[in-house]
Amino acid sequence: MRLRNIPRAESVLKACREVMKEPALYRGCWDKVFGNENPVFIEIGMGKGQFLLTMAEQNPDVNFIGIERYSSVLLRAVEKYMERETQAPANIRFICMDAADIADVFAKGEVSGIYLNFSDPWPKARHARRRLTSKEYLSRYDKILACDGVVEFKTDNRGLFEFSLEEIRESDVWEIKERTFDLHGDEAMNRGNVMTEYEEKFSAAGNPICKLRAVRKA
């Protein structure tokens, strides 16, 4: 899908101090960026930012970093953040980058958890390695997650979800801790669930939401 260029995006992102302009400079020292040693959770493909902003507001003792590849998309999240003015949570940062480079930005064990919400399904088989739950990306996550780190994935795309389950099952490193094909109908897994904009839209249309949690094998 071709994204519409928004001329003001670059200037707005540049002006926002919470947008990290050269994120690789902070590899291994994100605790200094936040000024504390609280756990760091990242969302890859944060879209308009509703999920991460809500998580940051509800969990002040956790640091959150939203990663988005396109400036025109990240702009929406940053503007939503800036609208909060004095009420904006201090425990959030933003990065505009390709997630394939996350090992250049985070050191081994520096990240406690990764959220993947309604990621691009890349439906063509030849693009499978670009899916954020492919074995290629699972290998990247292994390089930055803490020993007890977790990967959480939500989607309404049944095919992508089944692909993700299989990639994890075939992994020597990862295992599925929890999974459901109907998140909102699963009382245990839905407890405390924070919805994204897409999740609200898809669930309102009657689409079941799939979710999994993956951890390292013991």
Side-chain angles (χ1 to χ4, degrees), residues 68-187:
E68 180 57 56
R69 181 176 182 179
Y70 300 103
S71 61
S72 56
V73 178
L74 181 57
L75 172 68
R76 304 302 190 190
V78 170
E79 288 185 328
K80 185 177 293 186
Y81 171 82
M82 294 172 70
E83 287 172 0
R84 284 166 162 76
E85 298 180 346
T86 57
Q87 301 300 315
N91 57 329
I92 191 168
R93 298 292 186 274
F94 307 97
I95 301 175
C96 190
M97 64 173 286
D98 189 326
D101 301 323
I102 54 173
D104 296 330
V105 173
F106 301 100
K108 181 75 172 179
E110 198 168 24
V111 175
S112 295
I114 297 174
Y115 298 113
L116 308 172
N117 293 317
F118 301 89
S119 308
D120 190 331
W122 291 102
K124 295 181 180 179
R126 69 175 184 272
H127 293 153
R129 65 172 54 194
R130 299 184 185 181
R131 298 168 188 162
L132 293 181
T133 50
S134 67
K135 60 179 180 292
E136 287 82 5
Y137 273 92
L138 290 171
S139 177
R140 292 180 175 111
Y141 305 151
D142 184 45
K143 294 177 181 178
I144 66 172
L145 277 172
C147 292
D148 58 350
V150 60
V151 175
E152 295 193 4
F153 173 56
K154 289 195 289 187
T155 183
D156 71 317
N157 188 307
R158 181 68 176 255
L160 177 60
F161 192 67
E162 292 178 342
F163 165 86
S164 305
L165 292 173
E166 190 61 28
E167 291 288 278
I168 294 169
R169 291 187 183 114
E170 293 180 356
S171 170
D172 294 329
V173 176
W174 301 96
E175 65 178 346
I176 299 164
K177 189 70 173 178
E178 298 176 286
R179 67 107 177 96
T180 179
F181 289 93
D182 183 12
L183 174 60
H184 297 165
D186 188 317
E187 182 178 353

